[in-house]
Amino acid sequence: MKKIVMFSFTLLLCVVAWTQTSPAGRKNHFVQSSTPETKPFSASEWAIIRTLSPLPALPVDATNQYRDSPAAVLLGQKLFFEPRLSGPIQAGTPQEGQLGAIGEAGKIACRNCHMPESKWLFDTRSNARSSNNGGSIPNATALGSQWMPRNASSIVNTVFYVSRSGAHWRENDGYSDSEWFDAQSEPEGPPVQNGSRLQLAHVIFDHYRADYNRTFPEFPLDPALADYKRFPATGSPYTDKANWDALSAADKEIVNRVLANYGKAIEAYLRKLVSRNAPFDRYVAGKHDAISADARQGLNLFIGKAGCVRCHSGPLLSDDDFHVIGLKIDTKLSPHADASEPGRSANQALICDPATAGGDFSVNGHFSDDPGTKRNSDFCSQKIPAGLWRTKGLRQVAETAPYFRSGQAATLDDVIEFYDRGGDPEGTFQGGPKEIQPLHLSTGEKRQLKEFLKALTGDPVPAQYLRDLHNK
């Protein structure tokens, strides 16, 4: 399981160049100052706008029967803050934000890349002392056990990523097909926490046994996990592989069940990390002055001339699909980014071949609570080209810089400029052809579009879910 970054994402502000005619067929009239305002939106334009708000009820994930269990939420919250799941630190210095010395273990929890103190649970620690004066961008990519090639961005509202088929693709490259499969990969990802599934099973057995058995009464922890000779302290298909390979098939099943249930508890916790009631939501609900005149002009651009809504659709402002936007990775701005990453195509084997993941953790595997689901459609038989990356949702986007999967855009202005020029030249990125073209926005229109994006920031996550409750 080649895990690269914890809940990482890329900002895919997929704006395809349209003509000056809006989706409703009306010619747009744009102003360069905050007044006067354009004429009111037409009925057909309001029909589009209403598809963008409000956020719906939480999606149902039938593959995780514990998704809304209060016990699972609490256990997931505890484990989110649990550093003992991590293995030895491999790179980084205190000046770069590393949490311990090289070789130290038990220092990195999920919360260290998805930081509650950031408000939106994204990374503000890694390389935070950098300054972008022609050099690298602070927090461009995350520092786990090693430097990772991707930005660790907000996990708030990520539960709403659901495709038209009903699939729950995770990460900005579609790394896995459920929240619980995705979450379980972090502890044993070498660049992330660098632990192992045997280590995880022991931490849960030693420190969370009562919590776990209360949460998963159908699958109580096997008392044999106390036997370190039978179940070594570390081991997985990726690290300390000899220890893992030496286990019997039955013992691998015991450990894999704990790993899968760990992921299901984390998913239950993630379902509480929700932000609603953005100014834009209040505007759509009828409060006309909830957003500024410039933000309303920006909305006009978003659904019209700029064409953002073609990819940033639905209440999450994402079509939950994968596109080629033509981003050339800039390692001057993001030194640890990796231009060779192929995106979506890299993960097909992980999802479709149990041997790759060391267990059948897909939604159709036996750890799933709905193994007969058809939500992945024909994914496993598709030929997936290189260069496809997910359309990023845009809620709270104004407060979660830097942007793109590489973190190489320091500001929203940088992002808007990228799309306005139509991305980078063909041949400088993987895949293609790219799906965007120049937009030819004026300076005033760029400002207005930015004002609309700022209106997508909602209420903070309830404070009770940002507390460190892990068992000492």
Side-chain angles (χ1 to χ4, degrees), residues 91-93 96-99 108 112-113 123 125-127 141-148 191-192:
T93 66
E96 293 172 319
Q98 189 51 277
L99 299 165
I108 302 169
N112 294 119
C113 285
D123 177 31
R125 169 184 56 88
S126 304
N127 210 26
T141 63
L143 177 59
S145 175
Q146 298 176 349
W147 280 103
M148 293 179 265
V192 189

Side-chain angles (χ1 to χ4, degrees), residues 257-376:
R257 174 62 68 178
V258 178
L259 179 66
N261 285 346
Y262 162 84
K264 291 179 181 183
I266 292 290
E267 178 183 357
Y269 171 60
L270 292 176
R271 289 169 67 85
K272 296 297 184 181
L273 304 182
V274 172
S275 171
R276 302 177 185 271
N277 195 37
F280 171 64
D281 296 316
R282 298 196 294 274
Y283 172 71
V284 177
K287 188 172 175 55
H288 183 73
D289 61 353
I291 64 176
S292 68
D294 275 352
R296 292 192 290 273
Q297 297 278 26
L299 172 58
N300 192 13
L301 289 160
F302 190 89
I303 68 168
K305 177 181 178 181
C308 309
V309 76
R310 285 195 170 181
C311 292
H312 290 282
S313 56
L316 191 59
L317 289 303
S318 169
D319 62 1
D320 199 34
D321 206 347
F322 299 83
H323 302 274
V324 178
I325 61 169
L327 175 68
K328 177 185 177 181
I329 297 299
D330 188 336
T331 53
K332 290 183 179 179
L333 296 174
S334 183
H336 303 286
D338 182 1
S340 70
E341 284 198 285
R344 182 84 165 116
S345 60
N347 305 309
Q348 194 170 31
L350 179 71
I351 295 169
C352 302
D353 179 7
T356 302
D360 59 342
F361 297 114
S362 83
V363 295
N364 298 119
H366 79 279
F367 295 110
S368 170
D369 296 316
D370 183 22
T373 180
K374 304 296 185 185
R375 75 189 200 189
N376 286 1

Side-chain angles (χ1 to χ4, degrees), residues 186-205:
E186 311 300 345
E188 62 181 1
V192 189
Q193 290 177 274
N194 194 36
S196 70
R197 63 187 68 178
L198 269 165
Q199 178 180 343
L200 179 145
H202 283 299
V203 169
I204 290 176
F205 184 84

Side-chain angles (χ1 to χ4, degrees), residues 31-45:
V31 298
Q32 306 308 312
S33 64
S34 58
T35 57
E37 193 171 359
T38 58
K39 65 182 181 180
F41 292 110
S42 68
S44 56
E45 287 170 330

